[in-house]
Amino acid sequence: MKIIQKELYSEMEKGLAGKEWSSVLMLPSYVLRRDVEGKSGEYFALDLGGTNFRVLKLVLKDSKVVDAQQAKFRIPLEHVNGKNACADGLFGFIADSVKTFIKDSSVSFPPLGFTFSFPMTKNSLNSGILVRWTKAFITKNTVGKDVCKLLNDKLSDRGINMGVTAVINDTVGTLVTEFFKDDRAMLGVIIGTGFNVAYWEKIGNIPKYLKQCPNANPSHTMCINMEVGNFDSPHMKVLKYISNEYDAQVDNKSPNKKLGLVEKMVSGLYMGEIARLALKDLKAAGVISGLNGKLEKKNGFPAWHLSACIGDDTLSLNKISKILKKEYGVTSTLEERQAFAMVCKWVALRSARLAATIIGSVVQHTGYEWDCTVAIDGSVFEKTPGYPQLLQEAFKDLFGDQPFNIRCVLTKDGSGKGAGLSAALMS
């Protein structure tokens, strides 16, 4: 853990300086840590970060969300990773979804926040240049372009009188959402389809931002989007100590080879597949049997099966037995069910310990390890049995005898509400 922490600090420093390449981008969000008191009004939010796109309307009174309406739209895969997936199709779909939600496109709307949960560089609060796609997106004609302009153009084409006032990613949104409730919130974390961390950093510690904005107050604090899912990629200076053949197989079959290596070890998008590959080897070794060939197919063991196996606390592992019978058509022995449980728990344990090493290290960097709230959103943290406890146990190993008080709290829908609240914070 200490080896990973040392390398992480080195990459963070390089990323903040911006003078040389770093595996963690350390992107300024342009969202400042400000007093949230007295924020009232209506704000709209858009959330793009996974398989669904959402449009939200938030009503704030005295900094509290008193009303929230939303609509969810499933993104057609043709716009995500189809061979003709392109910017016009994706952002046209988003604009159409907004129009469906607001119904009356002739009305002028209040500030609009846009959660865009992919690596981007920013030159202002309402601009975001896509660095690269993650999470299986390969949409063409988007990398290197301002996603806010792409969206604004499509909104304008449809006669929708609104434009992006603040673009953020889901980790920034999660942090801001919790910050409106708890000013001790120092980190926002996503542990779901992807993995990433955002945190409050003194502007004086961000040389590349000061170079761009020399008149900025160095004592002010800005939210940094780390893009830490790409840490130690592609060189694997320290990840080599915890990686294995299954990680290599997952990476080789991914659309972004040698990138996002931490995310591929931590996030729910890959946990089930890592478990499947290990179980496939156990089947080849004769430890488990049957399964109707599902283990031979990519993604044949979904993450929710992994979570269900971990959560089976019966003596005979009856829950695992039911899953194997219903989903795979086999009657299992206790030894086979124990093998499933062991593999699934190993995958979750490694995910949690790597995530905790990174989270704890960033908390320690802020200097608030003695009293810090970490806002976490995502299905892995929320739905994997025992995952929060695994994080705390790993913190103990990381900090050793040093006292710490790190509260990991579930911050639901930070990626949605966070966009609107970021627009409110900066207005």
Side-chain angles (χ1 to χ4, degrees):
M1 297 175 89
K2 290 294 185 181
I3 295 174
I4 292 174
Q5 182 183 62
K6 182 179 178 181
E7 180 66 17
L8 177 63
Y9 285 156
S10 174
E11 292 295 283
M12 288 173 64
E13 184 177 358
K14 289 191 292 185
L16 290 170
K19 292 182 179 180
E20 55 184 313
W21 182 87
S22 171
S23 63
V24 287
L25 295 175
M26 306 299 286
L27 303 173
S29 68
Y30 290 77
V31 175
L32 301 178
R33 190 181 186 192
R34 292 175 168 176
D35 187 358
V36 302
E37 292 299 320
K39 296 292 183 182
S40 298
E42 293 185 354
Y43 302 88
F44 277 78
L46 312 179
D47 178 19
L48 174 65
T51 56
N52 295 307
F53 168 74
R54 293 184 300 149
V55 188
L56 302 91
K57 177 185 176 183
L58 307 178
V59 179
L60 269 65
K61 184 176 182 180
D62 295 328
S63 304
K64 291 182 174 58
V65 178
V66 295
D67 185 45
Q69 302 171 28
Q70 69 168 309
K72 183 182 292 186
F73 304 87
R74 190 162 189 84
I75 302 172
L77 290 179
E78 64 191 79
H79 300 318
V80 175
N81 52 25
K83 66 177 182 179
N84 295 319
C86 64
D88 284 346
L90 177 61
F91 288 95
F93 169 78
I94 294 173
D96 289 337
S97 302
V98 172
K99 190 168 185 176
T100 299
F101 179 75
I102 64 176
K103 295 182 176 63
D104 184 359
S105 61
S106 65
V107 179
S108 295
F109 286 93
L112 169 67
F114 181 24
T115 296
F116 184 77
S117 302
F118 302 90
M120 59 182 170
T121 57
K122 302 185 63 176
N123 297 316
S124 65
L125 184 63
N126 61 351
S127 70
I129 309 300
L130 177 63
V131 175
R132 65 174 179 274
W133 284 116
T134 57
K135 308 172 192 175
F137 276 72
I138 58 172
T139 309
K140 301 179 183 67
N141 303 322
T142 48
V143 174
K145 296 187 178 182
D146 186 346
V147 296
C148 296
K149 185 179 187 306
L150 292 173
L151 175 58
N152 289 340
D153 287 347
K154 294 304 177 184
L155 292 172
S156 178
D157 289 346
R158 287 153 176 78
I160 303 172
N161 190 19
M162 62 196 313
V164 178
T165 56
V167 60
I168 60 171
N169 80 335
D170 49 2
T171 48
V172 174
T174 298
L175 174 53
V176 171
T177 298
E178 190 62 31
F179 181 66
F180 263 76
K181 298 182 289 184
D182 180 359
D183 62 6
R184 297 170 298 176
M186 294 299 297
L187 274 71
V189 180
I190 298 296
I191 314 179
T193 304
F195 172 65
N196 196 16
V197 176
Y199 73 101
W200 297 118
E201 179 66 270
K202 290 279 188 170
I203 288 177
N205 295 333
I206 316 173
K208 65 182 179 184
Y209 178 76
L210 286 172
K211 182 178 180 180
Q212 181 181 349
C213 304
N215 296 325
N217 189 330
S219 66
H220 287 176
T221 305
M222 176 183 288
C223 187
I224 290 290
N225 166 27
M226 294 182 67
E227 292 300 337
V228 77
N230 195 59
F231 168 62
D232 204 27
S233 306
H235 305 300
M236 297 188 69
K237 293 180 182 177
V238 293
L239 291 180
K240 63 184 179 182
Y241 297 117
I242 60 172
S243 66
N244 56 49
E245 60 190 285
Y246 308 123
D247 298 312
Q249 291 178 51
V250 166
D251 182 56
N252 286 334
K253 294 181 180 179
S254 71
N256 56 339
K257 295 179 183 179
K258 301 298 182 182
L259 296 175
L261 296 179
V262 164
E263 184 167 273
K264 290 170 183 173
M265 293 182 184
V266 172
S267 74
L269 184 62
Y270 302 98
M271 289 171 67
E273 182 65 3
I274 293 171
R276 180 189 75 87
L277 293 170
L279 290 167
K280 181 181 172 183
D281 276 358
L282 290 182
K283 180 182 177 182
V287 177
I288 58 177
S289 59
L291 303 181
N292 287 348
K294 284 191 175 182
L295 286 185
E296 305 301 322
K297 300 177 182 179
K298 184 179 179 181
N299 299 320
F301 188 72
W304 76 266
H305 286 181
L306 180 142
S307 294
C309 289
I310 293 172
D312 191 345
D313 56 1
T314 63
L315 289 177
S316 298
L317 300 177
N318 294 328
K319 296 177 183 177
I320 296 177
S321 177
K322 291 179 181 178
I323 290 175
L324 295 180
K325 184 67 175 178
K326 179 179 179 181
E327 302 293 335
Y328 299 92
V330 298
T331 301
S332 58
T333 66
L334 177 58
E335 289 75 15
E336 288 175 324
R337 298 194 292 274
Q338 288 171 336
F340 267 82
M342 177 191 69
V343 168
C344 294
K345 288 178 180 178
W346 167 78
V347 172
L349 176 63
R350 189 186 64 162
S351 167
R353 289 185 67 82
L354 180 53
T357 301
I358 292 170
I359 293 168
S361 298
V362 177
V363 170
Q364 198 165 27
H365 169 79
T366 68
Y368 284 90
E369 63 269 20
W370 49 273
D371 186 20
C372 175
T373 300
V374 177
I376 306 181
D377 196 4
S379 57
V380 173
F381 178 76
E382 180 183 6
K383 297 181 179 180
T384 304
Y387 201 92
Q389 290 74 25
L390 292 176
L391 291 177
Q392 291 296 331
E393 291 169 6
F395 289 151
K396 292 177 182 177
D397 290 338
L398 179 66
F399 286 94
D401 295 332
Q402 179 184 349
F404 69 93
N405 181 18
I406 302 175
R407 298 171 300 280
C408 294
V409 300
L410 178 63
T411 304
K412 290 286 290 180
D413 196 26
S415 61
K417 292 180 180 177
L421 293 176
S422 293
L425 183 65
M426 296 302 295
S427 63

